[in-house]
Amino acid sequence: MTLVTTDRVAFREALPQGGRLIGMDVGTKTIGLALCDAHWTIASPAYTVNRGKFSKDKPALATFIEQQQVKGIVIGLPLNLDGSNSPRSQASRAFAHNLGDLGYPILLWDERWSTQAVTRTLLEADASRARRDELVDKLAASYILQGAIDGLVAGME
């Protein structure tokens, strides 16, 4: 049974040797992807996938994950501001469980502020609306992944 959890300690224990992680910002129309190095130092945006049928998206994601030698998956969990589940939370949990048979441990990570933080940064950089639309999902995935790796390495030094 593949681990799907919100518990960073359990996720960390499932990856005793560390390894490269992929971050995903799963939206209704797109999936933003980000990658980090095997030592969990820094997350970088990778690209954005336009969502179609899950039966077609899953093999493409699996191929990318394998090519990148990923060891674990971090998926943004959209919670309400009070920390309770939102309607989108269930969709993200279902997405994670549907990826479970790929065999990688999956960490669901609180993404409440990711899109707002990235959008604010892009606005401050005076990015055009088209450029923001092009970048926001993969940058949000990077923001989510960076938060997760910071949480995973905290206290390990």
Side-chain angles (χ1 to χ4, degrees):
M1 180 78 185
T2 298
L3 175 71
V4 178
T5 185
T6 58
D7 182 345
R8 68 180 181 186
V9 174
F11 182 79
R12 177 77 186 100
E13 289 172 355
L15 295 163
Q17 305 302 317
R20 197 162 201 204
L21 303 177
I22 187 169
M24 298 184 184
D25 179 34
V26 180
T28 56
K29 296 179 183 171
T30 60
I31 304 168
L33 301 177
L35 294 162
C36 74
D37 60 293
H39 302 290
W40 302 351
T41 307
I42 190 161
S44 302
Y47 70 99
T48 302
V49 176
N50 288 317
R51 288 193 71 178
K53 291 196 179 298
F54 187 77
S55 60
K56 291 187 178 172
D57 294 343
K58 184 178 179 179
L61 290 170
T63 298
F64 182 73
I65 287 168
E66 188 176 318
Q67 288 172 341
Q68 297 298 321
Q69 301 176 322
V70 165
K71 302 298 182 200
I73 300 170
V74 177
I75 297 175
L77 183 63
L79 301 171
N80 288 318
L81 292 181
D82 66 1
S84 64
N85 285 313
S86 74
R88 292 286 314 141
S89 299
Q90 186 56 37
S92 290
R93 288 180 194 279
F95 186 88
H97 285 283
N98 288 335
L99 287 181
D101 63 356
L102 296 179
Y104 300 96
I106 300 172
L107 176 64
L108 294 165
W109 191 259
D110 181 355
E111 69 157 47
R112 276 181 274 187
W113 301 106
S114 61
T115 301
Q116 294 89 336
V118 167
T119 301
R120 185 172 42 253
T121 300
L122 290 170
L123 285 168
E124 289 169 2
D126 203 26
S128 69
R129 179 179 301 276
R131 185 74 174 140
R132 289 193 309 266
D133 289 346
E134 176 187 330
L135 294 174
V136 71
D137 295 317
K138 64 184 174 184
L139 289 174
S142 181
Y143 187 93
I144 291 163
L145 183 55
Q146 188 66 53
I149 62 177
D150 289 349
L152 288 167
V153 300
M156 286 177 28
E157 292 82 30

